């Protein structure tokens, strides 16, 4: 069984924990898009691991992990993550592969990311400033530098020089310090030395894995509503977290995929700017933020919190053919008097059940809520039937609305705090 785990909202749904649980059944875990903008948190016993680039499956000591061709890799961030894992006694040697086709995040990508945000002023995206957008721009502009380029000094030097020459023209325009191509080349040559043992043709490797009947788990980053095509453009990331990204980002065909699991929090959050109709800006939002520790795993920024938006999740279900939902952080809503879910929007006096493509229209949408009676306590519960009746009503309403089963319910950060139905 080859599964895909992806975010059904705006990212930060708790994918790390779900991937960690489902990795148990997989031989190989592969990340297919995004970069170190992601922050996947996994808690095992009293240790907390935050992964940015390396698939969360790495925490299972007998699993192979792959950073697929669709990922953009910042070598500095990768090496830092590798060291942090080693400090926590997780060894990645002989268990991690990096696609030679993946693109490299370069120092100028991060600076360009920051400049773009400054230029946008109040209209800024609120990016993680990890250089993700500019790196994908270079990829699609066909001037990107790929992991395989690290293996040839001549090619690497040549490409860095060509790109830095162009970037420096922009630096002059923006009146900021120019980049030194030789210095970048020297630094990336050092990275090449540290990365070389991980570099593989992962496209052939992954297809071989599937052909030999072994199982693959695709690990998505960010979330469906941040997808560059289907999300709330332009307030999106620059990759495809939805199902299509899994194929272009690994080189596996649709035939290799058997099941899509969407991860959905019991409420909604969003980091960065962009419309968010069910956002709670008052006390309730703050309560959710504190109880749910809703602060970015990558940037530490407070996340915007709101009620669960089922219109948005239903859209994600449609886009990726989600068959199972993993519902996370249900316990964060414990002890609330009422719990609401957004079941439609009101737009210019009429009720709609879709997300308008035009951002200005979406920004005007007001949430239409269904209210549920709150429940007392869900954490520490491992049997579905032991959940409070009110929580079960909430869950079963969501299942009916989405037409998808909720197969996994997470009621706390630890592996044990999970109900499998
Ligand atoms: P970028 O991916 O850094 O370019 O940021 C674009 C948008 O995606 C911003 O709103 C970010 O806050 C958001 N974003 C990027 N990565 C994540 C993530 O892992 N979780 C949640 N939001 C993210």
């Amino acid at each position: 069984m080859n599964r895909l785990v992806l975010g059904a909202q705006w990212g930060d749904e708790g994918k790390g924990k779900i991937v960690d649980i489902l990795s148990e059944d997989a031989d190989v875990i592969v990340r297919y898009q995004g970069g170190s903008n992601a922050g996947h948190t996994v808690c095992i016993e009293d240790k907390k691991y935050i992964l940015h680039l390396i698939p969360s499956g790495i925490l299972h000591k007998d699993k192979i992990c792959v950073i697929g061709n669709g990922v953009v890799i910042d070598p500095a961030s990768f090496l830092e993550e590798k060291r942090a894992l080693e400090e926590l006694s997780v060894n990645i040697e002989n268990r991690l592969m990096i696609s030679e086709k993946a693109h490299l995040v370069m120092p100028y990508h991060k600076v360009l990311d920051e400049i773009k945000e400054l230029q946008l002023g109040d209209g800024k995206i609120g990016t993680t400033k990890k250089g993700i957008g500019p790196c994908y721009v270079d990829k699609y502009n066909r001037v990107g530098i790929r992991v395989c380029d690290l293996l040839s000094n001549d090619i690497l030097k040549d490409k860095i020089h060509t790109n830095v020459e162009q970037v420096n023209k922009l630096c002059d325009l923006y009146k900021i310090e120019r980049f030194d191509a030789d210095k970048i080349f020297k630094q990336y040559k050092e990275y090449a030395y540290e990365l070389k043992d991980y570099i593989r043709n992962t496209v052939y490797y992954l297809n071989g894995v599937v052909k030999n009947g072994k199982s693959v788990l695709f690990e998505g980053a960010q979330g469906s509503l941040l997808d560059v095509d289907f999300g709330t453009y332009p307030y999106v990331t620059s990759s495809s977290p939805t199902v299509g990204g899994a194929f272009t980002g690994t080189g596996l065909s649709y035939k290799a995929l058997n099941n899509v699991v969407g991860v959905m929090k019991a409420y909604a959050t969003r980091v960065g700017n962009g419309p968010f109709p069910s956002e709670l800006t008052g006390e309730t939002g703050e309560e959710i933020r504190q109880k749910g520790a809703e602060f970015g795993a990558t940037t530490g920024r407070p996340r915007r919190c709101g009620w669960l938006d089922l219109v948005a999740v239903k859209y994600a279900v449609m886009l990726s053919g989600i068959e199972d939902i993993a519902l996370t952080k249900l316990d964060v809503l414990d002890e609330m008097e009422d719990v609401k879910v957004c079941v439609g929007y009101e737009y210019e006096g009429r009720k709609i059940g879709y997300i308008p493509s035009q951002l200005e229209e979406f920004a005007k949408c007001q949430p239409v809520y269904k209210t549920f009676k709150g429940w007392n306590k869900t954490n520490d519960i491992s049997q579905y039937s032991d959940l409070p009746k009110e929580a079960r009503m909430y869950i079963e309403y969501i299942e009916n609305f989405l037409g998808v089963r909720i197969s996994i319910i997470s009621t706390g950060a630890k592996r044990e705090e999970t109900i499998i139905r």
Side-chain angles (χ1 to χ4, degrees):
M1 162 82 91
N2 300 324
R3 279 205 176 99
L4 164 59
V5 175
L6 56 80
Q9 294 162 303
W10 282 274
D12 307 316
E13 298 92 349
K15 293 179 289 295
K17 172 175 167 174
I18 304 303
V19 169
D20 176 57
I21 292 170
L22 296 177
S23 293
E24 202 73 71
D25 305 330
D27 297 299
V28 177
I29 299 97
V30 57
R31 260 284 296 273
Y32 59 87
Q33 44 70 234
S36 47
N37 48 350
H40 295 168
T41 308
V42 184
C43 297
I44 302 172
E45 287 156 12
D46 53 355
K47 283 187 188 162
K48 186 171 167 179
Y49 305 81
I50 301 180
L51 295 139
H52 300 282
L53 268 172
I54 299 177
S56 312
I58 203 77
L59 303 176
H60 290 259
K61 302 208 155 100
D62 55 338
K63 308 290 175 185
I64 307 277
C65 287
V66 174
I67 301 180
N69 57 278
V71 176
V72 290
I73 299 174
D74 177 353
S77 163
F78 170 78
L79 292 170
E80 200 181 300
E81 200 167 321
K82 177 186 166 211
R83 273 190 285 274
L85 283 172
E86 279 163 1
E87 267 169 35
L88 290 160
S89 313
V90 180
N91 189 358
I92 67 169
E93 300 312 319
N94 302 318
R95 300 204 291 126
L96 184 90
M97 297 178 196
I98 300 177
S99 169
E100 53 192 15
K101 289 183 195 293
H103 281 246
L104 291 168
V105 175
M106 306 300 290
Y108 46 82
H109 289 142
K110 293 186 210 170
V111 174
L112 292 175
D113 196 351
E114 243 173 85
I115 290 177
K116 179 93 192 143
E117 286 284 89
L118 278 173
Q119 275 181 333
L120 288 169
D122 287 345
K124 70 176 182 191
I125 310 293
T127 73
T128 57
K129 299 191 180 145
K130 300 285 177 191
I132 305 299
C135 184
Y136 279 112
V137 166
D138 276 1
K139 170 174 175 171
Y140 288 99
N141 202 19
R142 294 153 297 177
V143 295
I145 303 180
R146 299 190 298 168
V147 168
C148 55
D149 297 327
L150 289 173
L151 302 175
S152 157
N153 276 345
D154 290 345
I155 295 174
L156 183 66
K157 191 172 187 174
D158 188 45
K159 290 196 174 178
I160 289 177
H161 274 265
T162 308
N163 282 3
V164 167
E165 203 180 304
Q166 293 306 316
V167 169
N168 279 342
K169 288 183 190 157
L170 288 176
C171 292
D172 294 346
L173 193 72
Y174 299 134
K175 298 189 173 49
I176 58 163
E177 200 183 329
R178 293 179 134 232
F179 286 90
D180 178 340
D182 285 323
K183 205 166 141 197
I184 297 177
F185 170 62
K186 196 166 159 261
Q187 188 181 37
Y188 276 67
K189 229 171 66 172
E190 280 167 27
Y191 292 148
Y193 180 76
E194 297 211 54
L195 258 58
K196 67 179 184 334
D197 293 341
Y198 303 105
I199 303 172
R200 295 274 191 293
N201 188 323
T202 57
V203 176
Y204 282 106
Y205 170 75
L206 288 168
N207 277 282
V209 166
V210 171
K211 198 167 169 214
N212 291 329
K214 295 242 166 79
S215 66
V216 173
L217 179 70
F218 299 81
E219 175 175 346
Q222 288 82 45
S224 304
L225 277 299
L226 288 175
D227 187 282
V228 68
D229 280 276
F230 306 112
T232 49
Y233 192 88
Y235 296 98
V236 292
T237 191
S238 302
S239 66
S240 305
T242 53
V243 71
F247 307 125
T248 54
T250 60
L252 283 165
S253 96
Y254 74 96
K255 289 184 197 159
L257 182 61
N258 311 112
N259 176 242
V260 181
V261 179
V263 186
M264 174 190 86
K265 240 176 337 206
Y267 48 93
T269 61
R270 177 163 202 172
V271 219
N273 295 332
F276 181 9
S278 64
E279 180 170 16
L280 294 163
T281 47
E283 238 172 68
T284 312
E286 188 54 34
E287 190 185 333
I288 293 176
R289 184 174 305 116
Q290 295 303 332
K291 272 177 76 179
E294 293 297 350
F295 298 89
T298 300
T299 58
R301 288 181 290 176
R303 295 178 184 142
R304 299 158 67 193
C305 298
W307 295 121
L308 176 60
D309 184 339
L310 286 180
V311 182
V313 179
K314 196 164 182 153
Y315 177 55
V317 165
M318 175 182 81
L319 289 171
S320 293
I322 292 172
E323 294 160 311
D324 287 271
I325 292 266
L327 172 69
T328 61
K329 292 190 144 180
L330 183 64
D331 56 302
V332 173
L333 300 183
D334 288 0
E335 288 166 12
M336 288 197 138
E337 206 166 305
D338 297 322
V339 174
K340 295 185 185 181
V341 286
C342 171
V343 293
Y345 305 128
E346 201 179 291
Y347 174 68
E348 293 191 337
R350 55 194 174 94
K351 193 179 161 197
I352 60 169
Y354 62 90
I355 298 187
S357 302
Q358 191 60 264
L359 199 79
E360 287 71 15
E361 279 177 36
F362 190 39
K364 283 189 202 153
C365 286
Q366 294 299 318
V368 176
Y369 288 123
K370 177 170 172 62
T371 305
F372 291 81
K373 193 169 173 293
W375 51 84
N376 220 355
K377 185 172 160 344
T378 60
N379 76 337
D380 283 344
I381 294 176
S382 55
Q383 285 292 325
Y384 183 70
S385 53
D386 292 341
L387 282 176
K389 183 174 97 256
E390 295 80 4
R392 279 184 280 130
M393 281 173 72
Y394 183 68
I395 291 167
E396 284 158 31
Y397 177 85
I398 297 169
E399 281 186 319
N400 278 329
F401 189 99
L402 299 175
V404 175
R405 58 183 179 249
I406 296 183
S407 325
I408 301 177
I409 301 164
S410 167
T411 56
K414 296 195 186 126
R415 273 179 182 168
E416 314 77 81
E417 294 170 309
T418 312
I419 299 171
I420 311 273
R421 285 168 85 198

